[in-house]
Amino acid sequence: MARERKRLLTGEIAKQAVWNSFTKLDPRAMIKNPVMFVVEVGTLITLLLSIWPNALGVSTAGRGYNVSVFLILLFTVLFANFAEALAEGRGKAQADTLRKTKSDTVARLLQKDGSLRDVPSTQLRKGDIVRVETGEIIPSDGEIIEGLASIDESAITGESAPVIKEAGGDFSSVTGGTRVVSDYILVKVTTDPGESFLDRMIALVEGASRQKTPNEIALTTLLAVLTLIFLFVILTLVPMADYLGISLDISTLIALLVCLIPTTIGGLLSAIGIAGMDRVTQFNVLAMSGKAVEAAGDIDTMILDKTGTITFGNRMAAQFLPVQGVDERTIAMAALQASVRDETPEGRSIVELAKEQGVTWEPSKYEGAEVVEFTAQTRMSGLNLRNGIEIRKGAVDSIRTYVESLGKHVPSDLEELGNQIAKQGGTPLAVAMEGHVYGVIYLKDTVKPGLKEKFAELRAMGIKTVMCTGDNPLTAATIAQEAGVDEFIAEAKPEDKIEAIKREQAQGKLVAMTGDGTNDAPALAQADVGLAMNSGTMAAKEAANMIDLDSDPTKLLSVIAIGKQLLITRGALTTFSIANDVAKYFAILPAMFIAAIPQLQVLNIMHLASPQSAILSALIFNAVIIPLLIPIAMKGVKYRAMTADKLLTRNLLLYGVGGMLVPFAGIKLIDMVISLLR
C-alpha cells in the first residue's frame, strides 16, 4: 500500500481533475477564493463583450481581441481549479484504497455465558468483547484484554512485517481491518460504527475534514485586500485616461487587473495546503488537521521520551549484580520472584535471564499472590505473597525509600552498583525482599544510530531537544550526551512532562512531543504537536493531533521537516507570484498609455511588438505559469536544514529575484510567437 500511495497521481486522477476544473466554476465554490472569483467575474464580462462588443458601452477593441482575452482568462481559472482538483484527487484516490481495506467483517461476539455468536461488525458497540483467531480480520478498533498475537497491519501502514500485540502495557491497541497472523486475542471494542480509526482516516485523506489553517486564512485575507486595492487602482485609471484623451477598453482593464492581482498564489494556495496534508499521509503519518502540520513547521522545542524514541526501547536484563554479602544466585532468585507475574518485556527478560542461570521456581507458590503494578509515582513493582512476604523491584532511590520506610538497613554499596550501571548508559533496578536489598538488575538499552546527526540539524535550525526519562540523573546524563540532546529531565513523572511543555509554551515557544502510553496522553494533548504511535494505547491516539502508522517515534523529526516544507512552499510561491507582477507592469502599462505619452517607450524594455500583443503576452504568461508551478505546489519546495536567516536569503534570491526575471523572458517569448502568428 505504501507503494500505491506514491503512485496515486495516475491518468484517471488527471482526467477526473480536468472534469472537476469545470464543475468548480460554480460561483458558490469560487467565492471561497476571492482572487480567483474576481478573475471569474472578469471572464464572464469578457465573454459578454465577445458576444456583444458594445454591450457595456462604446468599445474600440475588435471581437477577436475580446475573445482572446476571454479564452485566456477562462484557462487561468480552469488551471487554478485543476491544481486544487488534482490535489483533492490524490486524497480521494488514497481514500478509495483505504475503503478496500474496510469490509463488513463477521465478528465473533463474546456472550455473557462465555459462548460466541457471529454478528456483522457494523453491529458492534463500545464495550463489546470479540474473539479473533489466526487468519481472521479484526472487526473494529479496540484494546486487547487477553492473549498475545502477531498482527499484519500492512493494510493500514503499508509494512509487510507483522507486529506483536498483547494484553496490558502500551502495545495493546488494535485497529479494525488488520489481520491476526498467529494465536488468538480477546478485543474490547472502543468505537461505535462510523467512528473507527479507518473511518477517520478516510475522511481526512479525502479532504472532507480539511479546514483552512490560521496561516492560510491570514494569507487569503492578505490576497483579498491586495485584490481590492488593485481593483481601486484600475478604477482610478479610467478618469486619468479620459483626462489624457485615451480610451481604455474594458477587456484591457480586466486584463491589467488580472495581471496585477496575485493570481498565481491565489490559484495554487488551496492546492499547497491539500498537498501538504497528502505528503504527511504518504509518509504514513495521519494528521488530524492542517493546523497540526503547520505547527510542526514552527516548532521551537521537541520533548522526546528516551525509551523507544532515543533508544531502541527493548531494555533487556543483561546481568544480576548482588550487594556485598549476597551471592549472584540469590539475587537472581529474588529478581525472578519479583518478575514471575510481570508481563512487560523487561519482566520477561528478567525471568529468561534467571532461567539461563539455572534458577527454577514452583508456579504453585505464587498462586493467589497480589500483583503490585508499576506506576510512574512509585516507580516500583512486585508481588505480595500469601504468606505475607513482600518482593519489590524498581528504581534504586525508590527501593531505598521503601526499605528505609520499613526500618531496614540499606547496603552501602547499593548506590555504587546503581551508578556503575548508569555510567554505562544502562538502567539499574534494585531488588528487595522482606525489606532486605539483594542487589541490582542491569537493564541494557542502546541509542538509535544517526540520531546525534539529526539532533545537530535541529539545533542548527534553532530547535531545542529535551529528553524525558524515568531513569536516574546519572543514566539520563550518559544517554543525553551519547544522543546529543540539548537538555534532559531525569526521573520524570507524567506531570513533569506536562510542566516541561507548559514552561516552554509560557516563553512563547511551540512544543512537539511523541508518546504511546496512556500516561503520555495528558502531555500529548498539551503539546502543540502531539505525535502518537499507532501501536500505542487508544487514549494516546485520541489525545494527539498526529498518529504515526509505522509507530516510529523518531518520525517526529521528519514531520517537522514536512511542516517546514509546507510553510516554505507557501512562502516561496507567494514571493514568486508577487515578484511576477514587476515584469507585467513593464509589459502592460506602457502598452496602455504609450500612444498618448510617447515617453513611456523607455519602459518598454522588452520591446514588445504592439500594445495588444503586450497585453495578451502578459495575460498568457499569467495563465500558463499556474500549471507550470503545480508540480512544485504538489511536491513542495525542497527543504534543507539551515537557519531562518539563510533560508530567507536563499528563497528571496531564488523565488524573489527569479520571480522577477522569469516573466521578462516568458512574456518576450510569447510576444514573439504572437507576432509570428499574425
Side-chain angles (χ1 to χ4, degrees):
M1 181 173 164
R3 189 174 298 172
E4 288 178 18
R5 286 179 182 163
K6 295 177 182 177
R7 294 190 292 112
L8 283 176
L9 190 55
T10 62
E12 187 61 34
I13 293 175
K15 289 178 185 177
Q16 186 62 41
V18 170
W19 171 253
N20 290 342
S21 301
F22 287 91
T23 61
K24 285 178 177 287
L25 290 174
D26 184 344
R28 291 170 297 180
M30 292 295 296
I31 201 168
K32 296 177 183 177
N33 187 335
V35 177
M36 298 315 300
F37 179 71
V38 169
V39 178
E40 184 177 45
V41 172
T43 305
L44 294 174
I45 294 174
T46 53
L47 173 61
L48 183 63
L49 293 172
S50 299
I51 301 172
W52 300 287
N54 297 320
L56 301 177
V58 179
S59 175
T60 58
R63 189 186 299 272
Y65 175 73
N66 289 334
V67 171
S68 299
V69 173
F70 161 70
L71 291 174
I72 297 169
L73 292 181
L74 176 62
F75 277 102
T76 303
V77 178
L78 289 175
F79 286 150
N81 288 347
F82 178 75
E84 182 177 6
L86 200 60
E88 289 176 346
R90 293 178 67 181
K92 288 177 181 176
Q94 191 167 334
D96 290 340
T97 303
L98 290 170
R99 281 194 182 93
K100 294 177 183 176
T101 302
K102 188 179 177 183
S103 59
D104 191 8
T105 309
V106 174
R108 303 171 67 196
L109 182 63
L110 185 66
Q111 305 296 298
K112 291 182 179 180
D113 61 2
S115 63
L116 296 172
R117 181 167 64 91
D118 290 347
V119 298
S121 60
T122 52
Q123 293 183 14
L124 295 176
R125 296 292 184 273
K126 287 182 182 179
D128 287 343
I129 297 175
V130 295
R131 181 184 174 99
V132 190
E133 299 188 350
T134 303
E136 295 179 347
I137 299 291
I138 296 175
S140 182
D141 296 353
E143 298 278 351
I144 300 175
I145 60 173
E146 181 182 313
L148 177 149
S150 177
I151 297 175
D152 177 8
E153 295 186 327
S154 59
I156 303 295
T157 67
E159 295 295 328
S160 57
V163 294
I164 301 297
K165 295 291 185 77
E166 58 187 322
D170 293 338
F171 299 94
S172 60
S173 173
V174 291
T175 305
T178 56
R179 182 185 298 273
V180 173
V181 178
S182 67
D183 302 294
Y184 84 95
I185 49 176
L186 287 183
V187 177
K188 185 176 182 179
V189 176
T190 55
T191 60
D192 288 327
E195 300 176 358
S196 71
F197 181 63
L198 204 57
D199 289 318
R200 287 158 58 200
M201 219 177 145
I202 291 169
L204 285 163
V205 299
E206 69 181 356
S209 301
R210 194 185 98 86
Q211 296 179 339
K212 286 188 176 182
T213 63
N215 281 350
E216 194 174 348
I217 292 171
L219 184 54
T220 301
T221 303
L222 174 63
L223 297 180
V225 171
L226 287 175
T227 301
L228 189 61
I229 291 172
F230 282 119
L231 182 59
F232 282 119
V233 169
I234 297 303
L235 292 175
T236 59
L237 285 178
V238 177
M240 291 174 59
D242 288 341
Y243 177 78
L244 295 170
I246 301 172
S247 177
L248 295 179
D249 296 304
I250 294 176
S251 295
T252 299
L253 290 171
I254 291 172
L256 177 60
L257 175 63
V258 171
C259 286
L260 292 183
I261 64 178
T263 49
T264 304
I265 185 61
L268 295 173
L269 185 58
S270 182
I272 293 170
I274 296 170
M277 289 280 288
D278 182 58
R279 281 196 299 277
V280 172
T281 308
Q282 287 183 47
F283 210 69
N284 266 8
V285 173
L286 178 61
M288 299 306 177
S289 68
K291 184 178 179 180
V293 181
E294 254 186 20
D298 284 330
I299 285 301
D300 301 295
T301 304
M302 284 178 58
I303 296 182
L304 305 161
D305 269 334
K306 185 206 79 171
T307 305
T309 304
I310 292 174
T311 62
F312 281 104
N314 51 342
R315 298 187 304 177
M316 299 297 174
Q319 191 177 358
F320 298 123
L321 301 175
V323 296
Q324 190 172 5
V326 177
D327 59 49
E328 191 169 336
R329 184 175 180 81
T330 303
I331 170 63
M333 185 64 196
L336 170 66
Q337 290 177 305
S339 306
V340 289
R341 299 283 292 276
D342 185 351
E343 293 301 320
T344 65
E346 291 89 348
R348 287 196 293 269
S349 73
I350 293 170
V351 173
E352 288 299 320
L353 180 61
K355 287 171 62 178
E356 289 174 9
Q357 296 186 2
V359 178
T360 58
W361 73 98
E362 295 180 20
S364 59
K365 288 185 178 181
Y366 305 100
E367 291 179 0
E370 178 190 356
V371 178
V372 178
E373 300 287 353
F374 175 88
T375 68
Q377 284 72 31
T378 63
R379 296 167 66 224
M380 290 190 305
S381 63
L383 287 179
N384 292 334
L385 302 182
R386 287 180 300 175
N387 57 9
I389 295 176
E390 294 184 357
I391 311 170
R392 296 289 186 272
K393 72 173 189 293
V396 172
D397 60 332
S398 297
I399 293 296
R400 185 195 304 112
T401 302
Y402 166 74
V403 170
E404 289 175 344
S405 70
L406 297 176
K408 302 292 185 180
H409 171 69
V410 177
S412 58
D413 58 339
L414 175 63
E415 191 76 26
E416 182 184 345
L417 288 174
N419 291 341
Q420 177 184 329
I421 293 171
K423 286 178 182 178
Q424 300 176 51
T427 301
L429 288 184
V431 180
M433 182 184 297
E434 295 186 276
H436 298 290
V437 178
Y438 282 59
V440 179
I441 306 168
Y442 177 11
L443 294 181
K444 192 173 183 180
D445 203 351
T446 308
V447 173
K448 293 181 178 179
L451 276 187
K452 194 164 189 175
E453 291 74 16
K454 288 186 178 181
F455 289 148
E457 286 183 10
L458 292 173
R459 194 175 299 109
M461 292 154 43
I463 299 174
K464 181 173 72 174
T465 51
V466 180
M467 180 185 77
C468 276
T469 175
D471 292 334
N472 63 60
L474 194 56
T475 301
T478 303
I479 295 294
Q481 183 177 7
E482 186 178 348
V485 295
D486 298 311
E487 296 178 9
F488 66 88
I489 302 173
E491 299 177 344
K493 301 180 182 66
E495 54 267 29
D496 293 330
K497 296 178 184 178
I498 298 176
E499 285 303 315
I501 293 171
K502 288 181 177 179
R503 190 164 54 248
E504 294 291 324
Q505 290 173 333
Q507 299 173 27
K509 298 178 180 179
L510 294 183
V511 183
M513 180 191 164
T514 61
D516 57 8
T518 300
N519 63 342
D520 291 326
L524 288 169
Q526 179 66 39
D528 299 284
V529 176
L531 180 67
M533 304 298 102
N534 187 41
S535 61
T537 61
M538 197 60 66
K541 288 192 277 190
E542 289 176 352
N545 50 23
M546 286 188 180
I547 299 173
D548 177 22
L549 303 180
D550 296 331
S551 300
D552 176 8
T554 60
K555 187 76 70 70
L556 183 57
L557 305 177
S558 301
V559 169
I560 288 177
I562 294 172
K564 286 189 176 295
Q565 185 186 41
L566 171 62
L567 296 175
I568 291 168
T569 301
R570 187 180 294 148
L573 292 185
T574 300
T575 303
F576 186 87
S577 176
I578 295 173
N580 265 211
D581 292 342
V582 175
K584 298 169 192 172
Y585 301 153
F586 284 95
I588 295 183
L589 290 177
M592 293 174 66
F593 294 99
I594 201 167
I597 311 175
Q599 292 85 350
L600 287 178
Q601 180 64 38
V602 71
L603 295 179
N604 187 18
I605 59 178
M606 287 182 277
H607 301 290
L608 303 178
S610 67
Q612 285 193 346
S613 172
I615 293 169
L616 292 177
S617 298
L619 207 57
I620 291 172
F621 176 84
N622 193 66
V624 169
I625 197 65
I626 294 176
L628 291 180
L629 291 175
I630 287 177
I632 296 178
M634 300 289 281
K635 292 178 64 177
V637 172
K638 189 172 182 180
Y639 169 70
R640 293 183 176 88
M642 60 180 72
T643 62
D645 290 341
K646 289 182 179 178
L647 195 60
L648 178 62
T649 302
R650 175 181 176 273
N651 285 341
L652 281 177
L653 288 174
L654 186 59
Y655 294 97
V657 177
M660 285 190 289
L661 297 179
V662 169
F664 280 99
I667 292 172
K668 178 60 179 177
L669 183 62
I670 295 170
D671 178 73
M672 292 170 61
V673 173
I674 291 175
S675 300
L676 290 173
L677 294 176
R678 286 188 170 185

